[in-house]
Amino acid sequence: MAEAHQAVAFQFTVTPEGVDFRLSREALKQIYLAGINSWKKRLIRIKNGILRGVYPGSPTSWLVVVMTTVGSSYCNMDISLGLVGCIQRCLPRGCGPYQTPQTRALLSMAIFSTGVWVTGIFFFRQTLKLLLCYHGWMFEMHGQTSHFTKIWVICIRLLCSRRPMLYSFQTSLPKLPVPRVAATIRRYLESVRPLLDDEEYYRMEILAKEFQDKTAPRLQKYLVLKSWWAANYVSDWWEEYIYLRGRSPLMVNSNYYVMDLVLINNTDVQAARLGNIIHAMIMYRRKLDREEIKPVMALGIVPMCSYQMERMFNTTRIPGKETDVLQHLSDSRHVAVYHKGRFFKVWLYEGARLLRPRDLEMQFQRILDDPSLPQPGEERLAALTAGGRVEWAQARQAFFSSGKNKAALEAIERAAFFVALDEESYHYDPEDEASLSLYGKALLHGNCYNRWFDKSFTLISFKNGQLGLNAEHAWADAPIIGHLWEFVLGTDSFHLGYTETGHCLGKPNSALAPPLRLQWDIPKQCQAVIESSYQVAKALADDVELYCFQFLSFGKGLIKKCRTSPDAFVQIALQLAHFRDRGKFCLTYEASMTRMFREGRTETVRSCTSESTAFVQAMMEGSHMKADLQDLFRKAAEKHQNMYRLAMTGAGIDRHLFCLYVVSKYLGVRSPFLAEVLAEPWRLSTSQIPQSQIRMFDPDQYPHHLGAGGGFGPVADDGYGVSYMIAGENMIFFHISSKFSSSETNAQRFGNHIRQALLDIANLFQVPKADS
């Protein structure tokens, strides 16, 4: 094959005269450039490690301290209070040219200055960590900032004034605190009160009291000990037991999807769109490696933890019989591509140079034009990643541990990410309500074998140039992939651009070796396992009902006029919609982040509260005055906002109880209370999608450069999964999932209830027009 010959740096043949070597200068040049690029990356990482390690100090500040110490010495001032002299006397004596009195004095002053500089850095870091432990600012009313908080803000800004790198604040972030058991139990009982009748609640109170008095003290001691030792007492257990030990399929159950810009279309040339997007993604990865991305700051003041970004690229989930493993590589120079049942390897670099968008477009067009057929068993191979984890682990060990199968699988698992070239076209058509739902379904599961669900994310490209992502959940949460996606879409639209005919700018390098077709040898036994996994995945996908819609009646603009947070408004509307849909309340999950703490991930906000149920019941009765309903709504909204703040500041309920449960399992302690709490089904699982984490453009100036967010599958068989993005002043996107197999749920019906609930609550706060 032509590409194989171009990939070889030298060849040799044995002749009667000896061995005849034939070197390829071009290949050797590319190897040399690749080595130079690798060493550059290592040096950059070393430099970044040093700069990050001394933040908020810098080499310049060290030099200033040294010069100050030396200058004071020449002015006959001893600012060291005799410490320089003590250091000089402790230095070993010798007779070399560098052991003169002047040299020893300069060395002593440099050592003293370095000590002062390091001490100052340590002091600043500890001060910053202490300041970041204060969260009172979150609980203050808007526009009523206390003098203490104002002083706190000034101090934070002074300490963070120097331009930070991505991971500069990691060691200054406080650790997630372990709540008191009594406080967690109290909040838990308060959260389930509206869901239980008096008899059930009394029984739960007894279980909770028994747990608090007898079992919890011992478990809490171990948890506190772990919090002292580990960077975060929750995150490692959460990743392992919630994600990696799960044996059910990742598709639908765990992975989630993200949509493209839906109101504009930069180009309908599939390969061209991929060229720009993948070039932008590798630019983002380069910024990650160099730590040039600014840390996300809450309100522009408080730094958020960035550790989840480390595994965004070059990461794959490796299946195991009992638990999976996340494999992360420091670098990867290619992507794995799927098209029409065939797998390809596409290099991203030519030597040390990143391929330009036009070159990448050419490479993907070559794949699209390739007429070759899939090898036996190749077409549905990726269904293994969509089925059960145990079956995939067994098949991987039996059929992919040697030979060409191992080499081909490694090409996929060691890729920067996975790319799926679909033959279908999907997009959002405002005139066709079903178009957004069909688009979401294609991203969520595709045809069950055209996504590699184990990769950190799969970039999905449709025939009309529309894109999307399917992301694995174990390595990070949605805001992290959202940060990448915002950068990529902004770079594509405002920095790279297209020609008038929709192609990438520039001229392609036709001398580039074409993409490498991966070779497989899949036996009949493996093909049977693939088919079995496909049938499992197809049954799961066919059971998912997804209803996505754009709510255009209002957005955060009108909601803010109601003097409440947009998130609380939507969450209360969801409670009203669910009661109308099912005639009862249910345990409701809303994801909140804990990234103000080191290695923080998420916490649960239990949105179904006594206050929200009181409002819903009053709305259902229909006999209350509007002023009374407004008062009940504001109480429910204030309660929700307070719970959200508690979750963000480490005082949530569910992560603490989860970790106590893990400790009880390690100790072999049985707790009926914890067993019952952890078994409670979340029949309404919700999440708000973040947006505008990085402002690459003014959304007011470009209102149509807007993504529709993304969604996920239902958590419970008889429940709903609801994802929403408050996209602007006058728009909200909703993604609602349920299962066809449940007679109690219907995603479209629930979506209609959500529409009506939002309108009904908004009508409570509309000022009636005066008579003309």
Side-chain angles (χ1 to χ4, degrees), residues 126 136 238 357 502 626 720:
Q126 293 304 115
W238 188 255
K626 182 176 287 190
Y720 292 111

Side-chain angles (χ1 to χ4, degrees), residues 718-759:
D718 58 347
Y720 292 111
V722 180
S723 174
Y724 55 93
M725 186 175 78
I726 304 170
E729 297 298 311
N730 302 295
M731 192 184 309
I732 307 174
F733 282 101
F734 284 92
H735 304 253
I736 305 161
S737 62
S738 63
K739 292 193 174 182
F740 287 115
S741 57
S742 172
S743 60
E744 300 181 35
T745 58
N746 182 292
Q748 184 165 355
R749 183 186 71 205
F750 188 43
N752 292 333
H753 284 308
I754 292 173
R755 276 197 187 93
Q756 191 59 49
L758 289 168
L759 293 171

Side-chain angles (χ1 to χ4, degrees), residues 23 149 310 319 416 427 670 752:
L23 301 179
T149 299
E310 294 176 356
H427 69 286
R670 183 178 177 276
N752 292 333

Side-chain angles (χ1 to χ4, degrees), residues 119-170:
T119 303
I121 290 171
F122 177 79
F123 172 77
F124 275 110
R125 283 190 172 185
Q126 293 304 115
T127 303
L128 180 59
K129 182 179 287 189
L130 188 64
L131 289 170
L132 292 176
C133 289
Y134 169 70
H135 299 118
W137 60 275
M138 291 192 66
F139 296 88
E140 294 178 350
M141 298 292 291
H142 184 68
Q144 299 181 11
T145 308
S146 65
H147 292 297
F148 183 86
T149 299
K150 289 178 181 177
I151 295 171
W152 172 81
V153 169
I154 293 171
C155 293
I156 289 286
R157 284 180 171 163
L158 286 173
L159 290 174
C160 301
S161 58
R162 184 171 160 262
R163 184 180 176 183
M165 301 174 71
L166 179 60
Y167 304 117
S168 291
F169 295 116
Q170 290 301 99

